[in-house]
């Protein structure tokens, strides 16, 4: 791992879970971690309910856009966190992988998306703690 760990959050549409995770990590880590997110079949836009849920906790993800996973981005990442993409997420040898089982916020009411958001926050905080301990 480089001095600045590179984390890629990966899901199918890159419109909800992975965008919220990227928003949380940017918020909690500042510029100490390089944050990326992508999808295997990106949506046209970010889930507006996910945007609203993140805005409620002071994190603005409106500037993010779903992006297609490319091999260069994955290859240049130290940690790849997949979220519900199963076999659609490719495996890149030599990378640290985490597979987070999270509900899909697509089509869910704000109350459910808040729970997903808060679950993601806890997982991101634990990941950041681990990355920080690894760098010591």
């Amino acid at each position: 791992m480089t001095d600045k760990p590179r984390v890629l959050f990966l899901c199918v549409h890159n419109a909800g879970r992975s965008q919220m995770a990227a928003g949380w990590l940017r918020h909690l880590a500042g510029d100490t971690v390089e944050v990326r997110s992508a999808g295997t079949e990106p949506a046209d836009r970010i889930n507006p309910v996910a945007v609203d849920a993140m805005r409620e906790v002071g994190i603005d993800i409106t500037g993010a856009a779903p992006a297609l996973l490319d091999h260069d981005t994955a290859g240049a990442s130290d940690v790849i966190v997949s979220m519900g993409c199963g076999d659609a997420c490719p495996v890149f040898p030599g990378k640290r992988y985490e597979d987070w089982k999270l509900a899909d916020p697509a089509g869910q009411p704000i109350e459910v998306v808040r729970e997903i958001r808060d679950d993601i926050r806890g997982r991101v905080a634990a990941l950041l703690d681990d990355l920080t301990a690894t760098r010591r």
Side-chain angles (χ1 to χ4, degrees):
M1 208 175 302
T2 64
D3 288 339
K4 190 176 195 177
R6 297 164 295 195
V7 177
L8 170 63
F9 293 106
L10 183 60
C11 66
V12 176
H13 300 295
N14 191 221
R17 293 169 285 196
S18 56
Q19 294 290 352
M20 288 191 288
W24 274 121
L25 187 54
R26 285 185 187 101
H27 177 75
L28 296 172
D31 65 354
T32 64
V33 176
E34 192 173 318
V35 182
R36 306 153 179 201
S37 71
T40 55
E41 298 174 25
D44 295 331
R45 64 187 175 112
I46 294 190
N47 178 336
V49 182
V51 170
D52 290 345
M54 293 300 285
R55 186 179 296 123
E56 289 178 351
V57 294
I59 300 172
D60 183 6
I61 61 171
T62 57
L68 179 63
L69 171 67
D70 66 67
H71 290 297
D72 291 340
T73 299
S77 298
D78 299 305
V79 180
I80 298 175
V81 180
S82 63
M83 304 175 178
C85 54
D87 293 339
C89 288
V91 174
F92 295 87
K95 302 298 171 189
R96 173 181 164 184
Y97 277 89
E98 293 195 16
D99 185 29
W100 294 353
K101 305 290 187 211
L102 295 162
D104 188 348
Q108 298 294 329
I110 189 72
E111 297 80 17
V112 172
V113 177
R114 285 180 185 130
E115 291 175 17
I116 297 167
R117 173 201 66 203
D118 295 345
D119 185 3
I120 291 171
R121 187 210 184 281
R123 292 170 190 249
V124 167
L127 174 64
L128 181 58
D129 287 347
D130 186 55
L131 291 174
T132 302
T134 302
R135 290 176 46 205
R136 287 185 200 143

